[in-house]
Structure formats: structure tokens, C-alpha cells
Amino acid sequence: MKSRTKVVVIGGGIAGCSTLYHLCEEGWTDVVLVERDELTSGTTWHSAAQVTNFGMNQTMVGLKSHSIALYKKLRDDPDYPVGYHHGDGGIRLANTEAQMQGYRQFASMARGMGVTFEVIHAEECARRHPLISTENLLGGLWDGEDGDIDPAQLCQALAFHARKAGAEVYRHTNVIGLSQHSDDTWTVATDKGDIDCDIVVNACGYRVNEVGAMMGVHHPVASMEHQYFVTEDIPAIIAAGHRMPLLRCPISDYYARQEKNGLLVGFYEQDCKPWGMDGISPSFSNDLCPDDLDRVMDVLEGAFARMPALAEVGIKRIVNGPITYTIDGAPLVGPIPGKRNAFCIIGLRAGVGEGGGHGWLLAQQIVHGEACFDTWGLDPRRFTRHANVELTSLKAIEDYQNEFRFHFPHEHRPAGRPAKTTPLTPVLAAEGAAFTVVNGWERMEYIKPSPNFHPSLSFNFDEAFSVVEDEVRAVQTGVGLTEVNGFNRIEITGTDRHAFLDRMFCGRVRQEQGRVGLGYLLNHHGMVKAEATIANIPASDRGPDRIWYGSAAASELHDMDWLSQHLREDEDVQLQSLTNDQTILVLAGPKSRAVLSEVARGDWSREAFPWLSVRESFIGIAPATVMAVSFSGELAYEIHVLNASLYAAYLALREAGEAHGLRLFGARAIESMRMEKGFLHWKADLITEFDPFETGLDRFVSLQKPEFIGKDALRTRQAEGARRRLVTMRVDATHAPAPPGASLMNGNEVVGTITSGDWGHRTGLNLAYGFVAHELSDIGCRLELDLCGDLVPVEIIPASPYDPAFEKVRG
Ligand SMILES: Cc1cc2nc3c(=O)[nH]c(=O)nc-3n(C[C@H](O)[C@H](O)[C@H](O)COP(=O)(O)OP(=O)(O)OC[C@H]3O[C@@H](n4cnc5c(N)ncnc54)[C@H](O)[C@@H]3O)c2cc1C
């Protein structure tokens, strides 16, 4: 066994084997995998091993396409062939029009990744799958690439090729400890001896938190028991003369695929059972949980009703094994929050199908610092400290119960809520607020017109449309108040703070005291990594000269990791998170200055406190830091208040606002208004797949600066020219917004992808942003949007269609 290597991958299931293989593919061959037992002795060996191409976003579809291409290559490899039924096809069933509309949107989104899904009616489903009845069926989504693979052969083949490239695999080698040294390297202690390495990867399946604990972290991953059975031969399958496609049923929560001449049927029962919550026996290996078909009887009835032939054959084998879930259903693939040189590939619930792609994206992140797709939807840093073991298990149960029911726009399921609140949450609830969830925070979405107001789940504009319109109108013509909780805030102090940020941002960073600026951070490939406001706050009794770095709520761990990784030892810079200590109240609208002037001492005139200023003050008796910044495009103030004083500040603003007709407004109104201003959202419009020039951020880039992260790569990219550009579009439809991921067409060719879409209530326009082929990105250019299956004309228009001269924000 080696005593030193570059990377140690812990765990020999599909996650570990795929990572090892892809590290070698990326050129790192001094790598090892350690497995406590035999390869695939965790969950992988007993997997139903279906491989599908379906995904809820383009990254998932892209990584699954990689799996399929890789598995085909391995199947055809004469050195180590793998059993893979590729192309049996698969159907996701639907019995509501809303589900069918969702499928049409997923087909539009997949089209942009070169993947063809078909939305078919009930009779066509039955024609392609002769065992099913069309009772209570509208249709389904057809994925022609679906199939199943032999999971053990797959892992052995990946390990075989990795070994051939130079990697080593140590079986029966249990990792028992991890220690990190001052130079950020690791020692992996095993029962066979120590291995020193630069980087560790946790790929330990349901034992993820045993290994997590060895490095002092808890991963938001929980296991659920999951069962399938395999039937005797079914005569109708033999008679059909072709393999049966896969079935996924969101109506009755089961799946089925062909196994020999019978069916393998798996269940997602409501009466489901978490597993391993109180520890896992060390001897549980190559093992299963006891059968318990009673638990799945309700689901089984649905499967029998859909496939009557199923009821006529015996059951050959039952499998009940642990399967891992996270709090949003997607795995955790990427850097471990708060750690250096540590990665994970965990929480895989469809790991055999997806594992090829996840290992590919992880290896790219380890070797190159970033993958070819934006991986935020998989990034372990997308959850923050609220994602504890109890919350995770509640969300795991909920997710398991809804396995095949995709999330609709604006849908936030109830388990584990509320997780993060402020002192205002109950106050706003009493005012009638509906809440959305942002990184665990309950954030006001709008004020409900009646207590039982629940808009329907749909890809169309829903019943909240006119409610949001009223809130926008109130802000546009008078004054509105909203709470923005969880906004990421890092206080940066020290004499080198400006030099540090100058290196981190691709443009000039504002340094004048009392002023606020906006800027962008790039990765080493010159792509957009982060967006932040920088507020320079002069010394006072509240602290020394300091900078407040502000960014999206979800970026809390991501941005802190990125900033702290790039601090130099000789720099006098301190970073402190204030995110959980304070909350923002936003006062917006032409009358906001009048309200502010009544509750806060001092001169708030346009001259004394112009747009992009920051000042410490009091709102009534509540200490506050006020910034003249606006995401709505109206005159607006962000009022940052310690949570202990939040209610006091709120009461003062409500009282002063009464005479001015102050109204509460929520996140949906903000979303509509920011679209009219051309303001961008991190991880919707700002992603690592595009550089700042392609994203239209030219004015925030200063290539004259001597140094910033990503500068060399950006210069090269600039010389090569933009591939796509982010544009604003007017969509010629009134019934639905352009959903993120939807494809933009020029004839039969996909030429762009939507990143954001919403109705602009002040402009009366259905607005969308999207990345479009450079040569088709000029203003006036007309394209078509695949809007849930309908081709709808769109026209590229100038950004910021509302108040393009930015007069209103100045007041
Ligand atoms: C009944 C069932 C049906 C399924 N059907 C499908 C399906 O149809 N399609 C699909 O894609 N997915 C399916 N899955 C899910 C899929 O099988 C898993 O997502 C996948 O196998 C997980 O792989 P993994 O590598 O993450 O974990 P595992 O396979 O559990 O591998 C983790 C490995 O880490 C090792 N390990 C743990 N601790 C240590 C340590 N301290 N030192 C060294 N080694 C350690 C373990 O021994 C184990 O081999 C199913 C799961 C179940 C339970």
C-alpha cells in the first residue's frame, strides 16, 4: 500500500469508482481508492440499477448524458464488457394536465442539452408498454435512452480502467481516522496503515457521516429503507417480443423495469422508514434490511391496477436496502464546506444511473477547480448550518414520499418548516404573509388576499398574479416595506482589506468611505463566480473602518470559502460573517425618503445621501445601517438591523409609513421589478459557464488592473470572442413566464437558454433573460421560445426596459 498519494477516495461504490476513473481521465493517476470490504458492498450491489436521462435542470441532464455515453463505451469494451440494456426507453406517467405541462417544459430544457424527450398521450404509452392500462392516465414523458446496467460489473470496469491508468485500489481497508495538517494535506488512517495525501474524497454512501465525523463535519444526508421485488416470468412480456420500457409513476409511487422475462418493481411508500438514524452496525456490509411488503401495500395496489399482469405472477425475490437522501433530493458533489482539499460525492439516490456523470463533474472540480457545467445545484455548500440531522431526515422522508413528483415553480414543501426565521416572521404571518424558502429562511412572498389563498401549482402565471401586481403598484406609486432575511453579509476589516478585494474582484472596487459599489468575482478560468455589493463604512462606536460584503442568501458558505481560501498569510484582513445576526428591511418607492426622514435623524436628501451611499443611523431607537441601493428600480433604502432590534425598527417604519400609505410587499414583487431593471440573480443568470463579457458585465471589468483572479484566462477568452450573450427578451405570451432552462429556437436549431422569466407589471411586458448565440443576440433579433411545448415569438430588447436612465433610483 502506498504511504503517499495525491488523492484518496474513500468508498468503493459507484460514487468512488466513478471518481477514481475520472480523476485518471483528467490526467491524475497517482490516486487511490480504499474500500472497507469488497467493491460495491454498500448500496450499489443490490441497486435496481436503472439508468435514465431525465433531469430537472440542464446540469442533471448533461451529467446523465455523460453516464449513458460512458456506460455504452464500457459495454462495448472487449477488455471488460459490462451488461447494459441501453435504449429500452422509459415513460414517466401523468394523470393531470399540470404534470403534462411540466413534462413539456422538461422536454424544452433537455432539448438545449441535445437530448430528446417526447410527451406522448395515454394510448401511445400503452402502445409502447403493452402491460399498462390507460385508466386514469393522460400520458407521459418518453425518454428513449432509458435502460439498466449491471452495477457490480460497472464498478469493476471503472476500477479496472483506473488501475490500468495507474490508480490503485485497496479492498478490505477500513478508514478509521482523518487528520489534516497545517499545510492542508491529510493523513488517512486505515486498519492497514496510514496514507498521506493532498486531497480526500468522501464517497461512503450510507456511512457518509461516519467518515464526516472523522473530519469534524456533519453532512445533510439521511438514509431511507427502499424495497423492490422481482417477479416470475410474465407471459405478456415474452409475447411482446421486445423489452419493456421503464415506468415511473408519480400517481402511485412505484417504478418498474424488465428483469429477465419478469418485472422488477420498486416502491416509494408513504409509510416509509428512515434507516441508520442511531448508528449502523459495523458488520452491515453486502447486507439488506428485513423485507416488509406490508408497508408498501397501498402503492402495490396502484401498480397492480396499472399492470394487471403483475397480479398474476409470483414474486421471486425481495430486496430492501438503504438509499441516501439530502434535503432537496439532489446529491452533494463538490467541496466540503469549511474544509480545504476535501470533497464529497454523497447523498446519491439514483447513484448508479447518475454516478458516471457525478464522478466526471467531481473529478473536474478537483483537478481544474471548476466543472464544465455550473454545479451549484449539487454543491455541498448550498445548505447552511440549519441542515442538521433532524431537518435532513424530515426532508428525506418528504422527498422519498414524492420521489417522482417534480417541484413546480414557487412550490416549497412543508416538511422541516420553518427552519430559519427572524423576530418578524410571526409578525408578517399575522399580517397574512405567504412565505417562500430561501436557503432555509422563511421569506415573505406576498400578502395573501385571504387566509386560505393557495395558488394552484402550474408553469402558468398563477392566481397570485394580481396580488403581486397590486404590491408592485404600491411600491411604484407610494412606498412599500419588505424584509429580506438571510442576506449574506461578511464584515471585512484590516488595513489590507481594499488590496485584498482588489485582487478578488474583476473590476475597480469602490473605496470611498460612505459609498457602496457592485462588483463581480471570477474563478481562475475567467468565469463568473460571485456577485457582491461592497459598502465602505467609516469607523464609529460600532466598529473600526470596515467593509460590508453583501451577496445572495444562498451564497453564505460558498463566498466565505472562496474569500478565505485566497487570503494571504501576510495580509492584515479579517473576515467575519454577520449573516445570522442581522436582517434587511427594504423601504422602496417614491415616498420612501419621506418615511425614512420621519424615523431617522439627519438629512436624507438626494444631495446629502445620494444613491449608492451608506450611513449608520437609528430607525427610531433601533441602531441601523442604511444603504441607498435599489433592486426594485424605485428610490429605495436597505436598512440593516440587528435581529434584536428588528421588531423595533419595523414598528417605527410601519408607524411613520401609515400616513404615506405604506404597504407590505414580498419577494415575488421584487422578482418582477428586478427583471424590469436588468438586475441579475446569482446562480440563475450569473453562472460559471459564462464569462463577464458574455454575461453583459463589461462595465464591471477592468483589464487595466495589474492583478485579479481569472485575469489571464479572461484575456484569452476575450481574444477568442463571446460564444453566447445574456440578453433581455420580450415574450409574446400572456399566460406563462419563460421558465429557466427553456430552449430558444431559430428554426429547428436551439440557439439559447432561458435563465429567468417573469411578468413586468410596470412595463406590461412578459420579460425573460437568456444566453443566446452571439450572432443572434442583437437588439431587435426575433427568435422562438419553446414554452412548455408551444413555440412563442420573442424579441431581444434593451436591458432595463423600466426607467432605463436610472432616474427613479436617485429619487
Ligand atoms: C433498493 C434500491 C434500488 C435502487 N435502484 C436504483 C436504480 O434503479 N437506479 C439508480 O441509479 N440508483 C438506484 N438506487 C440507488 C443507488 O444504488 C445508490 O445511489 C448508489 O448505489 C450509491 O452508491 P455510493 O457509491 O454512493 O454508495 P455505496 O454503494 O453504499 O458505496 C459506499 C462504499 O463506501 C464504503 N465505505 C464506507 N465507509 C468506509 C470506510 N470507513 N472506509 C472505507 N470504505 C468505506 C462502503 O463499504 C461502500 O462500499 C437504488 C438503491 C436501493 C437501495
Side-chain angles (χ1 to χ4, degrees):
M1 193 163 96
K2 281 185 176 180
S3 59
R4 188 165 213 304
T5 187
K6 205 165 174 59
V7 184
V8 173
V9 178
I10 311 168
I14 178 62
C17 292
S18 173
T19 304
L20 191 77
Y21 171 90
H22 285 99
L23 284 169
C24 294
E25 287 282 292
E26 294 296 333
W28 282 19
T29 52
D30 178 13
V31 292
V32 309
L33 183 149
V34 284
E35 163 55 50
R36 70 197 288 276
D37 197 327
E38 291 291 348
L39 294 184
T40 76
S41 56
T43 290
T44 301
W45 71 275
H46 58 71
S47 177
Q50 299 154 102
V51 181
T52 68
N53 215 346
F54 178 82
M56 297 273 296
N57 55 53
Q58 289 200 326
T59 296
M60 286 304 290
V61 172
L63 73 88
K64 287 177 154 211
S65 293
H66 176 84
S67 280
I68 290 170
L70 171 64
Y71 298 173
K72 280 189 341 200
K73 195 170 108 184
L74 295 174
R75 177 196 61 188
D76 299 338
D77 176 16
D79 279 351
Y80 211 110
V82 173
Y84 178 27
H85 297 119
H86 168 257
D88 289 351
I91 312 174
R92 275 164 204 269
L93 302 176
N95 67 342
T96 68
E97 193 41 59
Q99 284 166 335
M100 293 291 278
Q101 189 191 26
Y103 289 162
R104 286 188 201 102
Q105 154 56 10
F106 297 129
S108 167
M109 179 268 294
R111 206 172 179 180
M113 299 302 284
V115 171
T116 304
F117 293 151
E118 252 181 280
V119 180
I120 55 178
H121 53 72
E123 285 68 33
E124 184 59 19
C125 293
R127 199 186 64 74
R128 296 186 191 192
H129 197 309
L131 260 57
I132 65 169
S133 105
T134 54
E135 187 74 28
N136 184 29
L137 188 67
L138 263 184
L141 182 75
W142 171 262
D143 171 358
E145 302 272 346
D146 280 7
D148 68 272
I149 195 161
D150 183 316
Q153 284 180 9
L154 169 63
C155 291
Q156 295 293 354
L158 291 168
F160 167 81
H161 288 288
R163 277 200 202 96
K164 233 167 91 176
E168 297 192 3
V169 175
Y170 306 133
R171 294 173 301 130
H172 301 286
T173 306
N174 194 14
V175 171
I176 50 177
L178 290 167
S179 45
Q180 191 161 27
H181 309 289
S182 54
D183 61 355
D184 293 333
T185 62
W186 292 87
T187 296
V188 178
T190 80
D191 56 357
K192 302 273 171 65
D194 289 356
I195 312 174
D196 293 326
C197 62
D198 295 333
I199 293 168
V200 289
V201 177
N202 183 345
C204 287
Y206 50 75
R207 293 191 188 275
V208 46
N209 277 311
E210 292 176 7
V211 172
M214 294 176 200
M215 61 167 75
V217 299
H218 174 80
H219 297 284
V221 175
S223 299
M224 302 292 298
E225 284 189 22
H226 173 52
Q227 294 185 87
Y228 64 75
F229 64 56
V230 179
T231 71
E232 308 277 2
D233 288 359
I234 298 178
I237 292 185
I238 301 167
H242 63 83
R243 285 185 60 80
M244 290 299 109
L246 276 59
L247 268 196
R248 265 118 182 73
C249 182
I251 310 159
S252 299
D253 304 303
Y254 61 86
Y255 57 81
R257 72 158 171 86
Q258 185 167 338
E259 173 70 12
K260 303 232 164 35
N261 282 324
L263 284 181
L264 179 159
V265 189
F267 307 98
Y268 291 100
E269 67 281 7
Q270 293 300 302
D271 181 20
C272 54
K273 202 167 159 195
W275 181 85
M277 290 291 289
D278 300 313
I280 301 165
S281 162
S283 63
F284 191 92
S285 185
N286 267 313
D287 215 344
L288 291 173
C289 314
D291 304 346
D292 186 3
L293 278 193
D294 285 349
R295 228 176 45 225
V296 304
M297 276 308 162
D298 53 333
V299 187
L300 196 51
E301 276 173 26
F304 284 162
R306 181 67 60 212
M307 290 179 288
L310 200 56
E312 287 158 24
V313 288
I315 293 172
K316 262 200 325 208
R317 187 159 59 98
I318 302 172
V319 167
N320 184 14
I323 188 165
T324 52
Y325 279 78
T326 65
I327 74 169
D328 65 359
L332 301 166
V333 181
I336 296 176
K339 294 285 166 193
R340 304 265 170 91
N341 293 346
F343 294 81
C344 60
I345 173 163
I346 52 177
L348 275 65
R349 72 174 187 198
V352 172
E354 297 172 10
H358 288 306
W360 175 55
L361 294 183
L362 182 62
Q364 290 179 46
Q365 291 181 66
I366 293 171
V367 174
H368 309 296
E370 206 83 68
C372 56
F373 304 141
D374 190 290
T375 49
W376 180 244
L378 307 168
D379 197 305
R381 296 166 299 193
R382 69 190 187 276
F383 307 123
T384 49
R385 308 280 175 233
H386 68 290
N388 59 39
V389 59
E390 299 300 341
L391 181 85
T392 305
S393 71
L394 288 178
K395 293 307 273 185
I397 291 168
E398 183 182 62
D399 212 42
Y400 184 95
Q401 290 169 331
N402 289 283
E403 176 74 25
F404 297 128
R405 288 182 212 115
F406 57 79
H407 279 83
F408 282 90
H410 304 299
E411 181 182 9
H412 288 283
R413 293 181 179 155
R417 293 180 64 184
K420 292 200 272 191
T421 58
T422 73
L424 276 194
T425 311
V427 177
L428 297 173
E431 294 276 8
F435 293 94
T436 180
V437 182
V438 180
N439 190 24
W441 293 94
E442 294 289 325
R443 191 172 286 177
M444 178 161 59
E445 197 176 9
Y446 50 81
I447 297 292
K448 293 184 282 189
S450 63
N452 290 324
F453 181 74
H454 298 296
S456 36
L457 295 175
S458 159
F459 282 80
N460 292 339
F461 290 117
D462 64 19
E463 295 83 349
F465 186 90
S466 57
V467 178
V468 174
E469 181 176 28
D470 280 356
E471 291 183 3
V472 169
R473 228 30 101 212
V475 172
Q476 183 187 13
T477 56
V479 57
L481 179 67
T482 193
E483 178 196 58
V484 179
N485 47 18
F487 191 72
N488 183 38
R489 170 77 59 222
I490 301 170
E491 184 167 275
I492 308 178
T493 49
T495 50
D496 296 322
R497 63 190 185 284
H498 288 300
F500 168 62
L501 289 182
D502 199 49
R503 198 169 73 242
M504 299 302 296
F505 280 73
C506 65
R508 302 259 171 228
V509 181
R510 218 153 187 186
Q511 300 192 2
E512 309 102 279
Q513 295 286 28
R515 300 294 286 160
V516 180
L518 178 68
Y520 294 85
L521 297 83
L522 310 185
N523 63 22
H524 292 94
H525 306 281
M527 308 304 235
V528 176
K529 181 90 179 159
E531 176 198 58
T533 51
I534 292 297
N536 294 287
I537 305 174
S540 71
D541 58 343
R542 296 185 198 166
D545 282 340
R546 59 205 182 280
I547 288 171
W548 277 8
Y549 170 109
S551 56
S555 71
E556 184 183 342
L557 299 185
H558 173 276
D559 285 14
M560 184 59 108
D561 261 10
W562 186 247
L563 292 177
S564 52
Q565 269 168 28
H566 291 94
L567 273 179
R568 291 180 183 153
E569 269 183 13
D570 57 352
E571 264 174 336
D572 175 24
V573 176
Q574 297 82 43
L575 307 174
Q576 193 199 344
S577 174
L578 306 180
T579 302
N580 293 299
D581 303 336
Q582 44 178 284
T583 296
I584 302 174
L585 294 172
V586 173
L587 196 58
K591 295 182 184 167
S592 56
R593 181 177 286 134
V595 175
L596 182 64
S597 302
E598 280 180 39
V599 288
R601 208 183 288 282
D603 182 356
W604 298 98
S605 66
R606 177 175 169 145
E607 296 68 34
F609 192 67
W611 186 42
L612 300 178
S613 298
V614 55
R615 180 195 285 178
E616 289 183 329
S617 181
F618 292 87
I619 302 295
I621 58 167
T625 304
V626 182
M627 296 183 201
V629 291
S630 172
F631 206 45
S632 59
E634 305 295 342
L635 175 70
Y637 302 95
E638 265 187 12
I639 301 167
H640 298 244
V641 189
L642 283 172
N643 285 337
S645 313
L646 188 63
Y647 185 48
Y650 173 81
L651 286 180
L653 289 165
R654 290 298 309 249
E655 200 183 327
E658 205 169 333
H660 301 276
L662 181 142
R663 287 264 310 265
L664 294 175
F665 68 103
R668 281 223 214 169
I670 297 178
E671 179 62 12
S672 161
M673 291 188 280
R674 72 105 187 166
M675 292 284 312
E676 293 179 304
K677 288 305 300 168
F679 295 147
L680 307 181
H681 250 180
W682 187 66
K683 292 305 175 194
D685 319 304
L686 299 165
I687 56 176
T688 55
E689 290 171 34
F690 297 99
D691 68 37
F693 298 128
E694 292 169 318
T695 314
L697 302 172
D698 309 41
R699 67 188 187 286
F700 295 98
V701 179
S702 171
L703 285 169
Q704 292 74 41
K705 275 173 48 169
E707 182 196 13
F708 63 82
I709 292 173
K711 182 177 168 184
D712 293 343
L714 187 59
R715 264 193 198 290
T716 310
R717 296 189 60 81
Q718 191 188 29
E720 286 167 359
R723 302 153 301 158
R724 284 189 172 191
R725 275 175 53 202
L726 187 72
V727 298
T728 302
M729 286 158 281
R730 194 195 68 224
V731 180
D732 285 354
T734 53
H735 67 288
S743 288
L744 289 156
M745 311 296 300
N746 186 29
N748 284 330
E749 198 190 345
V750 179
V751 292
T753 303
I754 296 293
T755 57
S756 292
D758 205 354
W759 189 267
H761 289 284
R762 295 171 299 189
T763 54
L765 297 176
N766 192 357
L767 293 167
Y769 300 158
F771 282 99
V772 169
H774 183 257
E775 63 281 8
L776 295 169
S777 63
D778 289 340
I779 289 171
C781 189
R782 292 183 70 82
L783 302 168
E784 284 182 309
L785 167 67
D786 180 346
L787 181 57
C788 301
D790 294 327
L791 285 180
V792 168
V794 300
E795 181 177 332
I796 298 176
I797 60 170
S800 198
Y802 180 72
D803 184 27
F806 280 68
E807 280 306 322
K808 290 184 187 292
V809 292
R810 295 181 163 85

